[in-house]
Amino acid sequence: MEVKLYQVDAFTDHVFGGNPAAVCPLGGWPEDSLLQKIAEENNLSETAFFIAEGAAFHLRWFTPEAEVDLCGHATLATAHVLFKHLNYNKPELVFRTRSGELRVQQSEYGLSMNFPASMPEPVSSIPEALLSGLGLESAKVFAAYDYVVELDSEAEVAALKPDFTLLAQLDGRGVLVTAPGDTHDFVSRCFFPKLRVNEDPVTGSAHCELAPFWAQKLGKEKLVAAQLSTRGGIVRCEVIANAEGSGRVVLTGQAADYMQGMITIS
Protein backbone atom coordinates (compact mmCIF):
# COMPACT_ATOMS: atom_id res chain seq x y z
CA MET A 1 0.00 0.00 0.00
CA GLU A 2 1.34 3.42 -0.98
CA VAL A 3 0.00 6.72 0.30
CA LYS A 4 1.07 10.09 -1.07
CA LEU A 5 2.17 12.54 1.62
CA TYR A 6 2.51 16.31 1.47
CA GLN A 7 3.99 18.28 4.36
CA VAL A 8 2.86 21.90 4.41
CA ASP A 9 3.63 24.79 6.76
CA ALA A 10 0.31 26.56 7.44
CA PHE A 11 -0.42 30.14 8.53
CA THR A 12 2.89 31.35 7.13
CA ASP A 13 4.32 32.53 3.83
CA HIS A 14 7.67 30.76 4.31
CA VAL A 15 9.06 27.32 5.14
CA PHE A 16 9.98 26.69 8.79
CA GLY A 17 7.29 29.09 9.97
CA GLY A 18 3.69 28.53 10.96
CA ASN A 19 2.39 25.08 11.84
CA PRO A 20 3.44 21.98 9.89
CA ALA A 21 0.78 19.47 8.87
CA ALA A 22 0.90 16.27 6.87
CA VAL A 23 -1.76 15.78 4.20
CA CYS A 24 -2.59 12.35 2.77
CA PRO A 25 -5.07 11.92 -0.12
CA LEU A 26 -6.76 8.50 -0.03
CA GLY A 27 -8.86 6.48 -2.46
CA GLY A 28 -10.90 5.00 0.41
CA TRP A 29 -10.80 4.63 4.17
CA PRO A 30 -8.50 1.97 5.68
CA GLU A 31 -8.88 0.91 9.31
CA ASP A 32 -8.77 3.80 11.77
CA SER A 33 -5.89 2.07 13.55
CA LEU A 34 -3.74 2.48 10.43
CA LEU A 35 -4.59 6.18 10.16
CA GLN A 36 -3.58 6.61 13.79
CA LYS A 37 -0.30 4.78 13.24
CA ILE A 38 0.53 6.99 10.26
CA ALA A 39 -0.19 10.12 12.33
CA GLU A 40 1.97 8.81 15.16
CA GLU A 41 4.80 8.01 12.74
CA ASN A 42 4.58 11.48 11.18
CA ASN A 43 4.86 12.94 14.69
CA LEU A 44 3.34 16.27 13.69
CA SER A 45 0.57 18.01 15.60
CA GLU A 46 -1.86 16.93 12.85
CA THR A 47 -2.08 14.59 9.90
CA ALA A 48 -5.06 15.18 7.60
CA PHE A 49 -6.60 12.40 5.52
CA PHE A 50 -9.23 12.99 2.85
CA ILE A 51 -11.21 11.19 0.17
CA ALA A 52 -13.37 12.59 -2.62
CA GLU A 53 -17.14 12.28 -2.05
CA GLY A 54 -18.94 13.55 -5.12
CA ALA A 55 -18.34 17.27 -5.40
CA ALA A 56 -17.03 17.47 -1.82
CA PHE A 57 -14.28 15.85 0.26
CA HIS A 58 -14.51 13.87 3.50
CA LEU A 59 -11.74 15.24 5.74
CA ARG A 60 -10.42 13.79 9.01
CA TRP A 61 -7.62 14.93 11.35
CA PHE A 62 -5.38 12.89 13.64
CA THR A 63 -2.84 13.99 16.24
CA PRO A 64 -0.18 11.45 17.28
CA GLU A 65 -2.60 10.52 20.09
CA ALA A 66 -6.15 10.63 18.72
CA GLU A 67 -8.61 11.77 16.06
CA VAL A 68 -9.92 15.30 16.70
CA ASP A 69 -13.13 17.13 15.87
CA LEU A 70 -11.61 20.22 14.27
CA CYS A 71 -8.21 21.37 13.04
CA GLY A 72 -7.64 24.67 11.30
CA HIS A 73 -4.06 24.48 10.12
CA ALA A 74 -4.42 20.97 8.65
CA THR A 75 -7.58 22.10 6.83
CA LEU A 76 -5.61 25.03 5.43
CA ALA A 77 -2.82 22.65 4.40
CA THR A 78 -5.30 20.26 2.74
CA ALA A 79 -6.93 23.08 0.78
CA HIS A 80 -3.46 24.24 -0.30
CA VAL A 81 -2.65 20.75 -1.59
CA LEU A 82 -5.92 20.49 -3.51
CA PHE A 83 -5.68 23.94 -5.10
CA LYS A 84 -1.95 23.90 -5.85
CA HIS A 85 -0.98 20.26 -6.41
CA LEU A 86 -4.15 18.33 -7.28
CA ASN A 87 -5.51 20.84 -9.80
CA TYR A 88 -8.77 21.61 -8.05
CA ASN A 89 -10.14 24.48 -10.15
CA LYS A 90 -13.54 25.34 -8.65
CA PRO A 91 -13.86 28.57 -6.65
CA GLU A 92 -14.78 26.83 -3.39
CA LEU A 93 -13.80 23.63 -1.58
CA VAL A 94 -16.36 21.81 0.56
CA PHE A 95 -15.11 19.53 3.33
CA ARG A 96 -17.40 17.18 5.26
CA THR A 97 -16.02 16.76 8.76
CA ARG A 98 -16.84 15.91 12.37
CA SER A 99 -17.55 19.63 12.80
CA GLY A 100 -19.99 19.78 9.92
CA GLU A 101 -19.48 21.26 6.50
CA LEU A 102 -16.42 23.51 6.14
CA ARG A 103 -15.87 25.71 3.09
CA VAL A 104 -12.57 27.16 1.83
CA GLN A 105 -11.99 29.81 -0.81
CA GLN A 106 -8.93 31.51 -2.22
CA SER A 107 -8.71 35.15 -1.18
CA GLU A 108 -6.47 38.21 -1.22
CA TYR A 109 -4.59 37.10 1.90
CA GLY A 110 -4.37 33.37 1.20
CA LEU A 111 -7.00 30.72 1.88
CA SER A 112 -10.16 31.63 3.80
CA MET A 113 -11.87 28.92 5.85
CA ASN A 114 -15.43 29.19 7.16
CA PHE A 115 -15.60 27.49 10.58
CA PRO A 116 -18.12 27.28 13.44
CA ALA A 117 -17.57 29.81 16.21
CA SER A 118 -17.59 29.06 19.93
CA MET A 119 -17.80 31.84 22.53
CA PRO A 120 -15.85 31.15 25.76
CA GLU A 121 -17.87 31.65 28.94
CA PRO A 122 -16.53 32.66 32.39
CA VAL A 123 -15.40 29.83 34.66
CA SER A 124 -16.71 30.09 38.22
CA SER A 125 -14.33 27.54 39.76
CA ILE A 126 -10.78 27.71 38.40
CA PRO A 127 -8.85 24.42 38.61
CA GLU A 128 -5.71 24.70 40.73
CA ALA A 129 -3.77 22.73 38.11
CA LEU A 130 -4.54 25.43 35.56
CA LEU A 131 -3.06 28.33 37.51
CA SER A 132 -0.18 26.26 38.89
CA GLY A 133 0.53 24.82 35.44
CA LEU A 134 0.86 28.33 34.03
CA GLY A 135 2.77 29.70 37.03
CA LEU A 136 0.04 32.24 37.80
CA GLU A 137 -1.45 33.29 41.12
CA SER A 138 -4.67 34.57 39.54
CA ALA A 139 -6.17 35.15 36.11
CA LYS A 140 -9.43 35.67 34.24
CA VAL A 141 -10.48 32.23 33.02
CA PHE A 142 -13.09 31.27 30.46
CA ALA A 143 -13.94 28.00 28.73
CA ALA A 144 -15.33 26.65 25.46
CA TYR A 145 -13.62 23.63 23.87
CA ASP A 146 -10.53 24.76 25.76
CA TYR A 147 -9.73 26.82 28.81
CA VAL A 148 -9.11 30.42 27.77
CA VAL A 149 -6.89 32.44 30.11
CA GLU A 150 -6.85 36.21 29.59
CA LEU A 151 -3.74 38.15 30.60
CA ASP A 152 -3.05 41.88 30.47
CA SER A 153 -0.18 42.06 28.01
CA GLU A 154 1.63 40.38 25.15
CA ALA A 155 4.80 40.30 27.26
CA GLU A 156 3.07 38.20 29.94
CA VAL A 157 1.90 35.67 27.36
CA ALA A 158 5.36 35.44 25.81
CA ALA A 159 7.03 34.93 29.20
CA LEU A 160 4.97 31.90 30.28
CA LYS A 161 6.86 28.69 31.07
CA PRO A 162 4.09 26.10 31.49
CA ASP A 163 4.25 22.86 33.47
CA PHE A 164 2.76 20.49 30.90
CA THR A 165 2.41 17.65 33.38
CA LEU A 166 -0.02 19.76 35.40
CA LEU A 167 -1.87 21.06 32.34
CA ALA A 168 -2.37 17.50 31.12
CA GLN A 169 -4.47 16.81 34.22
CA LEU A 170 -7.19 19.25 33.18
CA ASP A 171 -10.49 18.33 31.61
CA GLY A 172 -11.26 19.73 28.17
CA ARG A 173 -8.95 19.72 25.16
CA GLY A 174 -6.28 22.24 26.08
CA VAL A 175 -5.36 25.71 27.32
CA LEU A 176 -5.32 28.97 25.33
CA VAL A 177 -3.56 31.97 26.87
CA THR A 178 -4.31 35.30 25.26
CA ALA A 179 -3.87 39.06 25.64
CA PRO A 180 -4.13 42.28 23.61
CA GLY A 181 -1.30 42.51 21.10
CA ASP A 182 1.30 45.23 20.78
CA THR A 183 1.04 45.32 16.97
CA HIS A 184 -1.88 42.90 16.39
CA ASP A 185 -5.42 42.88 17.74
CA PHE A 186 -4.60 39.97 20.04
CA VAL A 187 -1.97 37.33 20.66
CA SER A 188 -2.06 33.81 22.05
CA ARG A 189 -0.18 30.66 22.94
CA CYS A 190 -1.90 27.27 22.83
CA PHE A 191 -1.08 24.18 24.90
CA PHE A 192 -2.45 20.66 24.29
CA PRO A 193 -0.35 18.21 26.35
CA LYS A 194 -3.21 15.68 26.54
CA LEU A 195 -2.92 15.31 22.76
CA ARG A 196 0.89 15.01 22.93
CA VAL A 197 1.20 18.53 21.50
CA ASN A 198 2.68 20.55 24.36
CA GLU A 199 2.66 23.86 22.49
CA ASP A 200 1.02 24.09 19.11
CA PRO A 201 2.80 26.55 16.78
CA VAL A 202 -0.34 28.09 15.20
CA THR A 203 -3.81 26.78 16.06
CA GLY A 204 -6.64 27.55 13.67
CA SER A 205 -9.36 25.89 15.76
CA ALA A 206 -8.34 27.94 18.82
CA HIS A 207 -9.22 31.09 16.87
CA CYS A 208 -12.79 29.80 16.55
CA GLU A 209 -12.91 30.60 20.29
CA LEU A 210 -10.44 33.50 20.49
CA ALA A 211 -11.84 35.54 17.58
CA PRO A 212 -15.41 35.80 18.98
CA PHE A 213 -13.95 36.52 22.43
CA TRP A 214 -11.85 39.45 21.21
CA ALA A 215 -14.42 40.65 18.68
CA GLN A 216 -16.83 41.19 21.56
CA LYS A 217 -14.19 42.85 23.78
CA LEU A 218 -12.81 45.11 21.04
CA GLY A 219 -16.08 45.84 19.25
CA LYS A 220 -14.84 44.82 15.81
CA GLU A 221 -15.63 41.95 13.44
CA LYS A 222 -12.30 41.76 11.63
CA LEU A 223 -9.13 41.08 13.60
CA VAL A 224 -5.53 40.11 12.95
CA ALA A 225 -4.01 37.70 15.47
CA ALA A 226 -0.47 36.52 16.14
CA GLN A 227 0.40 33.25 17.84
CA LEU A 228 3.60 33.63 19.88
CA SER A 229 5.13 30.19 19.47
CA THR A 230 8.78 29.76 18.47
CA ARG A 231 7.73 29.31 14.83
CA GLY A 232 5.01 31.96 15.00
CA GLY A 233 2.17 32.65 12.65
CA ILE A 234 -0.55 35.12 11.64
CA VAL A 235 -4.29 34.37 11.50
CA ARG A 236 -6.72 36.86 9.97
CA CYS A 237 -10.16 36.46 11.56
CA GLU A 238 -13.65 37.66 10.67
CA VAL A 239 -16.59 36.91 12.95
CA ILE A 240 -19.87 36.57 11.03
CA ALA A 241 -23.37 35.14 11.36
CA ASN A 242 -24.77 32.67 8.84
CA ALA A 243 -28.33 32.59 7.51
CA GLU A 244 -29.53 30.65 10.55
CA GLY A 245 -28.08 33.29 12.88
CA SER A 246 -25.44 31.04 14.45
CA GLY A 247 -21.87 32.25 14.75
CA ARG A 248 -19.16 31.52 12.22
CA VAL A 249 -15.54 32.56 11.93
CA VAL A 250 -13.64 33.01 8.69
CA LEU A 251 -9.96 32.26 9.27
CA THR A 252 -7.48 33.26 6.58
CA GLY A 253 -3.84 32.31 6.23
CA GLN A 254 -1.11 31.38 3.80
CA ALA A 255 0.77 28.12 3.33
CA ALA A 256 4.22 27.01 2.16
CA ASP A 257 5.34 23.64 0.79
CA TYR A 258 8.02 21.77 2.70
CA MET A 259 8.03 18.20 1.40
CA GLN A 260 6.38 15.62 -0.85
CA GLY A 261 6.85 11.91 -0.32
CA MET A 262 5.34 8.46 -0.40
CA ILE A 263 4.37 6.30 2.56
CA THR A 264 4.95 2.62 1.80
CA ILE A 265 3.18 0.05 3.96
CA SER A 266 3.97 -3.59 3.29
Side-chain angles (χ1 to χ4, degrees), residues 35-248:
L35 300 179
Q36 188 62 66
K37 287 177 181 176
I38 292 172
E40 185 172 9
E41 187 79 7
N42 288 339
N43 199 33
L44 298 170
S45 60
E46 299 287 349
T47 296
F49 301 94
F50 71 90
I51 63 171
E53 286 187 345
F57 298 89
H58 185 184
L59 175 62
R60 300 170 69 185
W61 312 278
F62 286 75
T63 75
E65 183 66 22
E67 186 173 8
V68 297
D69 293 336
L70 183 64
C71 179
H73 84 280
T75 302
L76 181 65
T78 302
H80 171 82
V81 167
L82 280 160
F83 279 124
K84 182 174 180 181
H85 299 291
L86 300 182
N87 302 315
Y88 187 85
N89 57 12
K90 296 179 181 179
E92 183 176 68
L93 277 163
V94 179
F95 292 119
R96 297 181 180 130
T97 78
R98 277 183 162 188
S99 291
E101 192 172 272
L102 308 178
R103 295 175 178 267
V104 184
Q105 297 178 336
Q106 299 185 80
S107 70
E108 177 186 0
Y109 295 106
L111 295 172
S112 294
M113 308 178 292
N114 190 309
F115 280 8
S118 181
M119 173 62 79
E121 299 294 340
V123 172
S124 57
S125 179
I126 301 173
E128 177 59 33
L130 177 58
L131 294 179
S132 297
L134 294 173
L136 300 173
E137 293 185 0
S138 63
K140 298 176 185 176
V141 178
F142 306 80
Y145 293 112
D146 306 289
Y147 283 106
V148 176
V149 179
E150 181 188 359
L151 301 182
D152 293 330
S153 71
E154 179 171 326
E156 289 177 272
V157 176
L160 287 175
K161 296 181 180 180
D163 183 328
F164 297 116
T165 301
L166 287 175
L167 296 184
Q169 298 173 11
L170 298 167
D171 58 346
R173 185 181 65 161
V175 177
L176 319 179
V177 185
T178 188
D182 295 339
T183 57
H184 300 86
D185 290 303
F186 67 91
V187 299
S188 67
R189 290 174 67 189
C190 301
F191 311 117
F192 305 101
K194 287 172 66 173
L195 297 175
R196 289 166 54 184
V197 181
N198 283 343
E199 180 165 5
D200 201 33
V202 192
T203 315
S205 62
H207 289 77
C208 295
E209 305 162 72
L210 294 172
F213 179 81
W214 285 106
Q216 186 179 82
K217 290 181 71 70
L218 299 177
K220 55 195 302 188
E221 296 176 347
K222 295 183 178 181
L223 309 103
V224 180
Q227 196 154 327
L228 304 181
S229 64
T230 302
R231 295 172 66 99
I234 302 298
V235 184
R236 294 179 177 271
C237 311
E238 181 178 4
V239 180
I240 59 174
N242 63 16
E244 292 75 31
S246 57
R248 305 288 294 184

Side-chain angles (χ1 to χ4, degrees), residues 7-10 12-20 231 255-259:
Q7 188 167 321
V8 177
D9 291 337
T12 182
D13 61 359
H14 60 276
V15 178
F16 307 125
N19 200 352
R231 295 172 66 99
D257 291 316
Y258 173 68
M259 178 178 67

